[in-house]
Amino acid sequence: MTTTAPTLTPTTRALAWCLHLLVVGLLALAAGRALADHRPYAGWVLAAAVACGLVYAAGPVLPGISRSRRAAALWLTAVSTVWLVLLALSADGVWVAFPLYFLQLHLLSRRAGLTAVVATAVAAIAGFALHQGSFNAAMAIGPALGAAVSVAVVWGYQALYRESEQRRRLIEELTATRADLATAQHTAGVLAERERLAREIHDTLAQGLSSIQLLLRAAERTLPQAPENAARYVDQARQTAVDNLAEARRFVAALSPPALEGTTLAGALERLCATTSTRHRITARFHLTGEPVPLPTAHEVALLRIAQSALANTVRHAHATTAEVTLSYLGDHVAVDVVDDGRGFDPAHLPVPGPEAGGFGLAAMRARTQALGGTLAVESVPGHGTALAAQLPLTPSAETRPEALP
């Protein structure tokens, strides 16, 4: 049976060296007292102590001792055999039993180690009694107490070591989990930023390019018969391209839309309606209800983008003649409503968003309103126009997501 040796720490190295010094010290004590007192077999005692020390010293050198319990058991058997010889020659050999307890408990399995400790304690008590020529309870107290202390210390250390390993594994798992969480948060942030960029591109650049396309088509249709009208359409397309370029530059710089610079949201919406009426065959009118109050920049940008996208959809798809844009301050809410008299559609059968089919507009509007804790409602019936209402709370909720910002 093999076992993996625990990684030595400075503390475990210090304990190992203390154990080595204790063994050497006790062997030297036994040999020194035998020589100093001129006891019988003093030379044999010295030889047994040296032999025990040499066998013991071979253990830390041999690599298999720390990896194989079988090799450890053979080595402990050799050390114990030489120790028994020393115990038979000198009563002072009984003290060497104490470090042997620690070795047996550390290197053997729990059951085998406990058995070896009991056998060593019994041998120590018996050997000391034989040297004294008698036996009493006091002779058993020392080795027995030493064995009990050794068992308590080693088993306590092993329990602490297991707990320490569990904590180390838990820390590693927590570290790995934190890394996974950081990766997931980064991925979520990237996806949120992509979604925000998609909304911004759809509501600014894509809508502007679509308007330019419509104006150029109108110029193409009127060019042979009415070149002055064609020139007007081309001029409007050029101005739209200029506005789109400004949007693109501010978009790259992550600033507010140019339409909001130096004006209020109401002013920006009124200018949007005027520009739409001038550039396309539709009459867009702006209405303001309620008492205007300062709005967070994110709210102004979201409502302006929603109105831009809704009017662009009306121009492209509705074939409407009029569109009404209403900005309403409703106490604790602010709302933008866009109503047209176009051909309408079935909200339950919208096209799947895609490069060819379109369909990004309503999804982007809904994402904007939800990100700011608001709601978006669309009512439409084929042949009866469309009404769109976006409503945002004036007090941002705690669940407002940062990706809602422009």
Side-chain angles (χ1 to χ4, degrees):
M1 179 178 181
T2 60
T3 180
T4 302
T7 303
L8 291 179
T9 65
T11 301
T12 55
R13 288 193 184 94
L15 292 175
W17 276 106
C18 288
L19 185 63
H20 298 335
L21 294 175
L22 180 61
V23 171
V24 173
L26 292 176
L27 291 175
L29 176 64
R33 290 189 62 178
L35 293 175
D37 296 343
H38 303 288
R39 297 177 183 178
Y41 311 111
W44 288 105
V45 171
L46 176 61
V50 172
C52 186
L54 292 175
V55 175
Y56 175 81
V61 178
L62 297 175
I65 300 300
S66 60
R67 294 198 297 265
S68 171
R69 282 183 175 167
R70 182 176 181 181
L74 292 176
W75 174 67
L76 285 174
T77 300
V79 173
S80 299
T81 300
V82 182
W83 168 71
L84 288 174
V85 174
L86 176 63
L87 179 62
L89 294 172
S90 172
D92 293 327
V94 70
W95 306 113
V96 183
F98 187 69
L100 286 179
Y101 297 153
F102 286 98
L103 289 172
Q104 292 161 349
L105 291 170
H106 180 67
L107 295 177
L108 302 178
S109 64
R110 174 163 289 204
R111 180 178 297 179
L114 185 60
T115 302
V117 166
V118 172
T120 301
V122 170
I125 294 170
F128 189 72
L130 288 175
H131 282 288
Q132 297 298 321
S134 62
F135 176 79
N136 55 60
M139 296 180 182
I141 292 177
L145 184 60
V149 170
S150 301
V151 170
V153 170
V154 173
W155 284 6
Y157 167 78
Q158 290 175 347
L160 290 175
Y161 179 79
R162 287 193 297 270
E163 183 178 351
S164 175
E165 283 297 295
Q166 290 176 354
R167 290 183 178 180
R168 181 184 61 81
R169 287 192 293 269
L170 179 60
I171 291 173
E172 291 178 350
E173 292 175 0
L174 289 175
T175 302
T177 301
R178 176 181 289 183
D180 293 340
L181 179 60
T183 302
Q185 289 177 338
H186 174 73
T187 302
V190 170
L191 293 176
E193 182 64 11
R194 287 179 179 175
E195 181 182 353
R196 188 186 72 84
L197 292 176
R199 291 198 303 264
E200 292 294 329
I201 291 173
H202 175 273
D203 294 342
T204 55
L205 305 183
Q207 300 292 5
L209 293 174
S210 177
S211 181
I212 293 172
Q213 183 184 32
L214 292 175
L215 290 169
L216 292 178
R217 283 180 179 175
E220 184 180 14
R221 287 195 301 268
T222 59
L223 185 58
Q225 296 83 11
E228 65 281 359
N229 290 337
R232 180 169 56 86
Y233 285 131
V234 171
D235 184 67
Q236 291 175 354
R238 182 187 61 80
Q239 185 59 44
T240 302
V242 171
D243 295 341
N244 230 32
L245 180 59
E247 287 280 5
R249 288 172 176 169
R250 297 305 178 96
F251 179 65
V252 171
L255 298 177
S256 299
L260 289 173
E261 282 191 356
T263 186
T264 62
L265 175 60
L269 291 174
E270 186 174 11
R271 186 163 56 245
L272 172 65
C273 291
T275 303
T276 303
S277 299
T278 301
R279 295 176 179 175
H280 304 285
R281 295 180 179 179
I282 186 173
T283 300
R285 290 186 287 264
F286 172 71
H287 308 278
L288 174 65
T289 62
E291 186 66 26
V293 296
L295 297 177
T297 302
H299 284 52
E300 292 186 341
V301 172
L303 293 175
L304 176 61
R305 295 305 191 203
I306 289 171
Q308 287 175 330
S309 184
L311 281 180
N313 287 342
T314 298
V315 170
R316 291 181 61 188
H317 308 296
H319 299 287
T321 58
T322 62
E324 307 289 338
V325 178
T326 305
L327 173 63
S328 305
Y329 292 89
L330 308 171
D332 59 346
H333 287 78
V334 61
V336 163
D337 297 274
V338 181
V339 181
D340 66 58
D341 61 353
R343 63 183 181 180
F345 64 95
D346 185 356
H349 295 84
L350 291 174
V352 178
E356 301 297 332
F360 289 106
L362 285 176
M365 294 183 217
R366 185 165 285 108
R368 285 184 183 277
T369 54
Q370 290 177 350
L372 293 172
T375 59
L376 180 75
V378 179
E379 296 180 2
S380 184
V381 177
H384 294 82
T386 301
L388 180 146
Q391 189 175 90
L392 299 177
L394 290 181
T395 302
S397 66
E399 297 179 355
T400 298
R401 301 197 305 269
E403 60 265 27
L405 299 176

